[in-house]
Amino acid sequence: MSEKKEPSVWQGFKAFLMRGNVVDLAVAVVIGAAFTNIVNSVVKGIINPLVGAIGTKNLDSYSSCLKSPCVVAKDGTVTSGIPIMWGSVLGATLSFVITAAVVYFLMVLPMAKYLARQANRKAAREGTKEIVEVSELEVLKEIRDALVAQRGAGHNE
């Protein structure tokens, strides 16, 4: 009796790496890391100055004190009190929203439109093929009926 040999761990790992979606994921991570620099530049160069027109340019400086007195040293360490750094959260949220908007409008939306166009073209081609097949079937039925009619007419004579 021959037993089915299980693939080795190395073969399984190699098959995993060769899958297309693993490579796509790796590319997405690298592009995402590079894209982070762009988003951070937009936040620091555009968003922070706009917020700075109202208050300070650095969102990290916005905070509230949960337990007074709040004293934060220049290096960012808290010496007394419990500060809530809501400016940092606001900055991170703005970065996330900008990133999500750019990804959606520059990548997801155009790709969805492209895939929809491709699906419509494929459906149109399949519809044309179906019409051709139906018309061929009709022609074959007419030929059959004509042959049957000829045979019937030949036997009556």
Side-chain angles (χ1 to χ4, degrees), residues 37-99:
N37 292 332
I38 294 171
V39 171
N40 287 339
S41 295
V42 168
V43 169
K44 287 179 184 172
I46 297 173
I47 303 298
N48 285 353
L50 290 175
V51 172
I54 301 167
T56 179
K57 285 186 180 181
N58 187 2
L59 291 176
D60 293 339
S61 66
Y62 288 105
S63 65
S64 298
C65 193
L66 188 62
K67 184 176 179 185
S68 295
C70 284
V71 179
V72 180
K74 290 191 184 225
D75 63 354
T77 58
V78 177
T79 55
S80 70
I82 302 173
I84 299 194
M85 308 300 283
W86 59 269
S88 303
V89 175
L90 179 63
T93 303
L94 284 173
S95 294
F96 173 76
V97 169
I98 291 169
T99 303

